[in-house]
Amino acid sequence: MARSLQRVWSYGRSLGTLSRPFSATTDALVEAQVKPGEIGMVSGIPEEHLRRRVVIYSPARTATQQGSGKVGRWKINFMSTQKWENPLMGWTSTGDPYANVGDAGLSFDSEEAAKAFAERHGWEYVVRKRHTPLLKVKSYADNFKFKGFPKMRTIDCISRLLCFVVLQDKCKIVCNFFHCTFSACGNSILSVKTFVPIELFS
Amino acid sequence: MGLGLLASRVLRFHTNRRNLLRTIVTKPELQSPEASAAAAAPDPTPDLPPRTPVAGARVHFPNPDDAIEVFVDGYPVKIPKGMTVLQACEIAGVDIPRFCYHSRLSIAGNCRMCLVEVEKSPKPVASCAMPALPGMKIKTDTPVAKKAREGVMEFLLMNHPLDCPICDQGGECDLQDQSMAFGSDRGRFTEMKRSVVDKNLGPLVKTVMTRCIQCTRCVRFATEIAGVQDLGMLGRGSGEEIGTYVEKLMTSELSGNVIDICPVGALTSKPFAFKARNWELKGTESIDVTDAVGSNIRIDSRGPEVMRILPRLNEDINEEWISDKTRFFYDGLKRQRLNDPMIRGADGRFKAVSWRDALAVAAEVLHQVKPEEIVGVVGKLCDAESMMVLKDFLNRMGSNNVWCEGNGPSPNADLRSGYIMNTSISGLEKVDVFLLVGTQPRIEAAMVNARIRKTVRATNAKVGYIGPPTDFNYDCEHIGTGPQALVEIAEGRHPFFSTILNAKNPAIIVGAGIFERMDKDAIFSTVETIAKKGNVVRPDWNGLNVLLLNAAQAAALDLGLVPESSNSIESAKFVYLMGADDVNLDKLPKDAFMVYQGHHGDRGVYHANVILPAAAFTEKEGTYVNTEGCAQQTLPAVPTVGDARDDWKIIRALSEVAGVRLPYDTIGAVQSRIRNVAPNLLSVDEREPATFGASLKPECTQSISSTPFKAAIENFYMTDCITRASKIMAQCSAVLLKK
Ligand code: SF4
Ligand code: FES
């Protein structure tokens, strides 16, 4: 089924990248004559499957993988849920010939191609918006940017105690013992706070 | 360029050089990249097809003047200044192999898989950590880059176990994929492989630490996104281990995401372990209904069973994360399901009957009661279509007492700005001062909380909180526990008021738990006073937000599901519960007849007289509106259980039996009915902002009570009938919340 559908599809397709033995003009002529739903009718598909509701969507990248080779394709979801577990072997049975077509058999380069295909088969379709990532500037140096004072925590580790001296608009790590020498910094000291900056050690 | 393409390039590369001697030493062309580049690209304007960014990515230019041009494989691309080489390659449509780099985490630069060749640089550079400079000539596909990556891969595979056949990540593993392109067919390592003791991270994340490649993505995720300092790296060299320092569970509501970001099978899903292989699964792109955020998810099913739930990218809502509740509550869909229509007999026991009988009984009772004694309550998980149909049906029966649980006794459905998140979830990133009123976003809407945390981390935004003491994973000033603190701010007596006043984009987030309070109007008008005085609502900025609790709430208010009288339940004789389990029925007269339509045998069925089994959100097509007012649709992934039917179809059938036939036969017809009432529900995936501000509200005469705010959700893991039926969620609340 899937293969015949694909065959129908590639015949009906205009020029495209597939080089067919037909000349481009004949192909375009065929294209012009196809009315919505006609391809479905002539390919002998049962009546009830010519009036299906389908969803056209572009599958998102699998969250567990980083590769984007399959991202950007368009698919048709037939919303087929006529499935049951076969009592004999526990395998999945289905009463819908399109059950696996959408997932495995059909894939389009563009939204328009998928829409055209659905139109030719006379399916009622809705198109889901494709979500794309937004690339923002990132830099390695951000790791070392001053991001405000570390969060104040209760002191749970005395040997790791750091002493921060708040100078005018500046912050300096003076030393990592409580008895630090503030004279090391020439500026006037506004306030002294003790922290255990967890972030620095994790 | 996908990895498949990469692999094919590699193959081609091999065939080209088949007749050459294979040696380990480098060749002259590897030694001097410039020379080989000059030889390889004599044509300065190569005839390249136009390329699109990887995965159709959009590029955010913070300042259009700061664009620079670099060349990726000879192809010129314009990128914002400061981007890394890897990002430049992405914009040029070249997918660089990587392990440690993740676009939503900070850059670690420790796996070295992303090595590329840069002209005039003596060594290959780690593209993820190297800022792109103007005019840089980056080559991603040269022998040098390939050889460098092969070397990295060989080191990574040295200590990686060969257990792909028994690994749950197998088939969707970055290491597996990339070793197809850069791995060798034999190893040169003859020593023992190291092994690492597995850590116990709790009931959700399974660890097989020997597989870890020390990319530190999980550590960065925990510290940066989840905001818990639980994970870390111990030891150095081959003794390096990921762990929790001391024997400790991972206590975050986002912990499941480390399963996704782990590029190998070191962190996998415990409930999903050995249940299915991922290539057997069929993915259905749907949305989540466990909270009001409407996270985008993919429901992976095998046959008639939901096997797992994964997040799906949506920059505006959940980015690429989902909460643990969303990810792991699916096993509740298999337990406690109602699969046959049932009627309670005289002995108080339920008897399974046919649909015809059940509907006949319900219709008969419906005709015996007075119209104003009919009450309909819609549950948390209901879709807009079924709410519309129920409202139309009860209206035809003469009653107008339909509401959605969680919206309180007298909801305000007139002004849309009064119940949605006007700033929008992604808009929260611009906020510099937050005031949280009676809401604990970490529990109520974990993804919104992740956004707030992101903002606080990025810009040091200030957060003030009024409500019961609770856990925050960012710095937060606890202003008070009750409305008194709110009044203090409104009157300018509290220092936080000046913080709001000085803020550029302040945002006030009011929790939907306040809807249940008697003095809710007074609280809202106090909040509006703060908004007015603090310049929170301006023509270019709306910082006044309500954070809803349930998936159905916003759509119910959009459709105008508001009860005629706030105490209709006290005089009700016929109650129609459509999935409503948490509605307070203490005041209901004992002789009231109750119909429960829903998918789980939960609290709602205890008193029901008739049970009508319906489809869960994984089994139907339904429209939901999230807390920011964005309409989204679920798609059916698996068949319904037993004899259950879609919600709207049941009511449509009941209306026919009751003699008031509703005029819709298809879901399309129901949707065109919705178009008349609330057209915004049909613009799927579009956020519809509220048009009128809160200034149109009438004056409020209520007075504020001094009762402190209550926590709206007691147990994060158990909020609705599906999560209460889930064993995994029960485990989580026992182990992590000690409940
Ligand atoms: S456990 Fe996974 S995510 Fe964490 S460092 Fe190891 S490989 Fe990376
Ligand atoms: S991805 Fe660049 S070093 Fe890991």
Side-chain angles (χ1 to χ4, degrees):
Chain A
M1 170 56 89
R3 198 168 303 147
S4 77
L5 282 180
Q6 256 182 344
R7 202 173 49 233
V8 168
W9 161 231
S10 41
Y11 274 106
R13 203 161 128 161
S14 64
L15 339 167
T17 43
L18 301 171
S19 58
R20 293 256 154 213
F22 310 118
S23 75
T25 41
T26 24
D27 237 6
L29 258 176
V30 171
E31 173 79 23
Q33 284 160 4
V34 174
K35 290 202 199 73
E38 233 171 40
I39 288 277
M41 274 183 265
V42 295
S43 42
I45 295 167
E47 189 84 3
E48 68 267 27
H49 292 299
L50 293 179
R51 284 191 310 267
R52 289 186 74 121
R53 298 181 63 240
V54 298
V55 175
I56 294 172
Y57 71 106
S58 177
R61 181 172 66 73
T62 311
T64 48
Q65 273 170 304
Q66 291 288 310
S68 57
K70 287 190 197 159
V71 182
R73 311 285 300 158
W74 287 81
K75 291 244 167 206
I76 292 186
N77 181 349
F78 287 89
M79 297 197 275
S80 154
T81 55
Q82 286 184 41
K83 279 180 224 155
W84 60 91
E85 206 161 275
N86 194 302
L88 180 64
M89 295 297 285
W91 292 339
T92 306
S93 305
T94 172
D96 178 6
Y98 279 119
N100 300 309
V101 174
D103 230 20
L106 296 174
S107 175
F108 304 92
D109 293 337
S110 67
E111 189 186 329
E112 284 67 39
K115 278 202 240 176
F117 185 78
E119 258 159 39
R120 257 174 270 173
H121 280 77
W123 295 324
E124 190 190 320
Y125 61 84
V126 275
V127 182
R128 282 292 144 82
K129 190 170 131 193
R130 175 182 171 200
H131 292 288
T132 49
L134 181 63
L135 289 181
K136 289 195 179 152
V137 173
K138 276 178 71 148
S139 101
Y140 185 62
D142 288 349
N143 288 340
F144 310 107
K145 248 191 3 212
F146 174 66
K147 298 189 201 79
F149 299 108
K151 211 160 134 186
M152 208 176 338
R153 292 277 180 108
T154 39
I155 297 162
D156 50 3
C157 173
I158 291 295
S159 67
R160 284 280 166 91
L161 199 95
L162 280 194
C163 190
F164 276 74
V165 180
V166 185
L167 310 168
Q168 286 135 340
D169 294 335
K170 267 184 258 153
C171 161
K172 259 188 194 167
I173 302 172
V174 177
C175 83
N176 40 356
F177 291 101
F178 196 47
H179 315 285
C180 52
T181 47
F182 296 130
S183 56
C185 37
N187 294 317
S188 63
I189 295 161
L190 296 180
S191 67
V192 181
K193 285 182 180 168
T194 46
F195 297 102
V196 178
I198 305 292
E199 264 113 2
L200 287 185
F201 293 106
S202 56
Chain B
M1 180 172 56
L3 284 171
L5 201 48
L6 262 181
S8 68
R9 283 191 184 202
V10 170
L11 286 181
R12 192 185 55 206
F13 180 74
H14 271 300
T15 44
N16 286 351
R17 298 199 315 159
R18 192 184 293 142
N19 45 3
L20 292 180
L21 258 183
R22 266 188 83 175
T23 49
I24 296 169
V25 281
T26 61
K27 294 181 180 53
E29 82 235 39
L30 303 190
Q31 290 288 9
S32 66
E34 290 106 301
S36 63
D43 188 5
T45 50
D47 181 23
L48 291 163
R51 302 197 197 176
T52 44
V54 167
R58 297 159 285 153
V59 187
H60 171 75
F61 281 87
N63 182 359
D65 306 335
D66 268 352
I68 58 171
E69 196 181 46
V70 297
F71 299 88
V72 179
D73 292 338
Y75 175 76
V77 274
K78 279 243 166 355
I79 57 164
K81 205 171 141 217
M83 270 200 168
T84 61
V85 173
L86 190 142
Q87 285 179 311
C89 294
E90 264 181 6
I91 295 171
V94 180
D95 209 358
I96 301 289
R98 73 204 55 182
F99 290 116
C100 68
Y101 177 81
H102 191 284
S103 53
R104 280 162 224 281
L105 303 175
S106 67
I107 299 170
N110 56 7
C111 77
R112 301 278 131 181
M113 193 61 202
C114 60
L115 293 173
V116 294
E117 199 184 333
V118 172
E119 218 171 278
K120 305 217 175 62
S121 137
K123 292 189 287 181
V125 300
S127 61
C128 70
M130 170 68 98
L133 302 172
M136 217 178 207
K137 294 205 169 51
I138 303 155
K139 294 193 211 105
T140 62
D141 203 15
T142 56
V144 176
K146 179 169 177 289
K147 188 159 191 299
R149 292 175 195 167
E150 279 174 349
V152 171
M153 182 55 89
E154 189 169 1
F155 275 116
L156 283 179
L157 292 181
M158 221 163 72
N159 269 326
H160 194 79
L162 290 169
D163 56 1
C164 302
I166 55 144
C167 175
D168 270 319
Q169 191 88 354
E172 51 176 20
C173 173
D174 281 340
L175 190 66
Q176 224 178 14
D177 283 359
Q178 291 174 32
S179 67
M180 293 306 289
F182 302 107
S184 167
D185 58 348
R186 70 209 64 193
R188 287 186 282 184
F189 183 66
T190 50
E191 273 88 327
M192 291 286 280
K193 288 196 186 235
R194 75 169 196 153
S195 57
V196 180
V197 179
D198 292 345
K199 313 291 183 300
N200 179 13
L201 294 187
L204 300 176
V205 184
K206 180 187 159 188
T207 61
V208 183
M209 276 312 178
T210 310
R211 294 180 191 148
C212 172
I213 56 169
Q214 276 78 38
C215 70
T216 69
R217 271 192 198 172
C218 54
V219 180
R220 278 174 287 145
F221 176 84
T223 0
E224 292 163 18
I225 313 279
V228 291
Q229 316 281 342
D230 285 353
L231 288 179
M233 175 88 88
L234 279 176
R236 287 293 176 267
S238 68
E240 226 167 42
E241 285 182 26
I242 296 290
T244 46
Y245 306 113
V246 288
E247 188 71 35
K248 185 168 175 284
L249 306 181
M250 198 173 164
T251 51
S252 163
E253 70 288 355
L254 300 178
S255 66
N257 293 302
V258 298
I259 298 166
D260 288 343
I261 57 165
C262 182
V264 295
L267 307 175
T268 51
S269 162
K270 214 173 236 179
F272 180 66
F274 309 133
K275 289 284 186 320
R277 302 312 310 240
N278 49 62
W279 55 85
E280 308 168 329
L281 303 175
K282 174 171 168 282
T284 310
E285 306 209 332
S286 189
I287 57 148
D288 166 48
V289 298
T290 52
D291 53 29
V293 181
S295 305
N296 287 213
I297 55 169
R298 197 182 85 190
I299 302 170
D300 278 356
S301 57
R302 188 181 60 186
E305 216 181 326
V306 176
M307 298 308 290
R308 66 171 178 181
I309 287 176
L310 291 181
R312 184 156 66 83
L313 173 93
N314 187 338
E315 291 279 0
D316 295 332
I317 298 176
N318 58 324
E319 299 183 279
E320 259 176 287
W321 322 118
I322 48 174
S323 73
D324 284 355
K325 185 164 57 169
T326 310
R327 188 185 295 265
F328 293 112
F329 80 117
Y330 60 85
D331 74 322
L333 290 165
K334 294 171 212 153
R335 286 195 188 80
Q336 303 242 354
R337 289 300 294 267
L338 302 172
N339 41 18
D340 283 307
M342 280 183 267
I343 298 180
R344 196 189 288 271
D347 57 349
R349 303 181 76 105
F350 281 115
K351 198 162 80 305
V353 294
S354 71
W355 270 105
R356 188 178 295 274
D357 296 345
L359 292 179
V361 169
E364 200 187 305
V365 180
L366 204 48
H367 278 296
Q368 285 163 4
V369 295
K370 288 204 228 65
E372 61 278 6
E373 290 169 347
I374 303 174
V375 167
V377 188
V378 169
K380 291 172 173 174
L381 308 176
C382 282
D383 52 305
E385 282 83 0
S386 49
M387 287 193 271
M388 184 77 257
V389 179
L390 181 69
K391 182 170 159 63
D392 277 354
F393 172 56
L394 293 191
N395 285 0
R396 284 188 180 219
M397 293 305 297
S399 156
N400 200 12
N401 280 316
V402 196
W403 76 91
C404 175
E405 65 180 359
N407 278 349
S410 56
N412 150 44
D414 300 332
L415 287 173
R416 196 153 184 267
S417 63
Y419 58 85
I420 65 169
M421 186 165 247
N422 293 305
T423 313
S424 84
I425 296 176
S426 56
L428 291 179
E429 280 180 36
K430 294 197 212 90
V431 174
D432 48 3
V433 169
F434 291 93
L435 175 61
L436 309 176
V437 181
T439 177
Q440 295 133 313
R442 195 170 176 188
I443 301 167
E444 293 170 15
M447 294 327 304
V448 171
N449 191 58
R451 265 316 157 135
I452 301 178
R453 181 176 153 81
K454 188 177 174 190
T455 315
V456 173
R457 233 185 94 83
T459 64
N460 273 323
K462 281 207 177 55
V463 186
Y465 165 69
I466 306 177
T470 179
D471 245 4
F472 279 95
N473 49 7
Y474 37 84
D475 269 330
C476 164
E477 185 186 339
H478 195 174
I479 297 171
T481 55
Q484 239 44 56
L486 202 60
V487 176
E488 267 174 42
I489 298 179
E491 288 166 1
R493 279 185 283 134
H494 196 280
F496 201 80
F497 180 72
S498 55
T499 318
I500 295 178
L501 213 55
N502 296 333
K504 206 158 119 256
N505 294 326
I508 305 177
I509 303 179
V510 185
I514 289 175
F515 285 167
E516 305 280 2
R517 283 174 69 105
M518 283 343 259
D519 57 345
K520 112 178 201 268
D521 287 333
I523 290 177
F524 271 97
S525 78
T526 318
V527 169
E528 273 147 30
T529 319
I530 301 178
K532 205 177 293 155
K533 286 192 191 160
N535 228 353
V536 175
V537 184
R538 306 187 300 258
D540 60 327
W541 175 257
N542 192 341
L544 194 53
N545 301 298
V546 176
L547 182 58
L548 297 177
L549 291 171
N550 316 325
Q553 265 177 315
L557 292 170
D558 277 351
L559 290 173
L561 261 68
V562 179
E564 210 168 16
S565 74
S566 51
N567 41 18
S568 52
I569 209 112
E570 284 155 39
S571 58
K573 286 274 149 52
F574 182 97
V575 182
Y576 199 101
L577 298 181
M578 193 166 77
D581 291 302
D582 295 291
V583 63
N584 187 358
L585 295 174
D586 297 342
K587 293 204 190 112
L588 187 73
K590 283 282 159 292
D591 59 339
F593 188 86
M594 197 188 287
V595 177
Y596 182 82
Q597 168 187 335
H599 40 81
H600 274 76
D602 201 56
R603 292 172 191 163
V605 297
Y606 288 148
H607 311 286
N609 298 81
V610 173
I611 293 177
L612 305 174
F617 80 103
T618 46
E619 298 150 12
K620 68 178 171 192
E621 214 186 327
T623 308
Y624 291 86
V625 179
N626 75 355
T627 182
E628 54 162 5
C630 176
Q632 303 184 92
Q633 270 179 347
T634 57
L635 288 179
V638 289
T640 48
V641 182
D643 214 5
R645 296 282 188 278
D646 280 0
D647 285 283
W648 73 269
K649 285 184 187 161
I650 297 173
I651 300 165
R652 164 71 182 68
L654 181 60
S655 75
E656 187 148 353
V657 177
V660 284
R661 205 172 75 88
L662 290 169
Y664 3 90
D665 297 327
T666 59
I667 194 148
V670 181
Q671 280 165 354
S672 35
R673 163 79 181 121
I674 290 180
R675 177 164 291 127
N676 297 336
V677 182
N680 61 299
L681 296 189
L682 294 180
S683 42
V684 172
D685 283 338
E686 297 292 337
R687 189 181 109 82
E688 189 91 9
T691 19
F692 300 107
S695 52
L696 295 171
K697 259 204 182 150
E699 277 294 299
C700 163
T701 48
Q702 270 181 357
S703 63
I704 284 191
S705 84
S706 57
T707 342
F709 294 123
K710 278 208 315 273
I713 291 178
E714 291 293 325
N715 183 346
F716 168 70
Y717 294 105
M718 291 193 168
T719 47
D720 48 57
C721 57
I722 308 179
T723 47
R724 279 192 291 259
S726 156
K727 213 164 138 189
I728 306 169
M729 291 292 102
Q731 255 171 21
C732 286
S733 58
V735 175
L736 300 174
L737 301 180
K738 309 267 182 300
K739 275 194 181 144

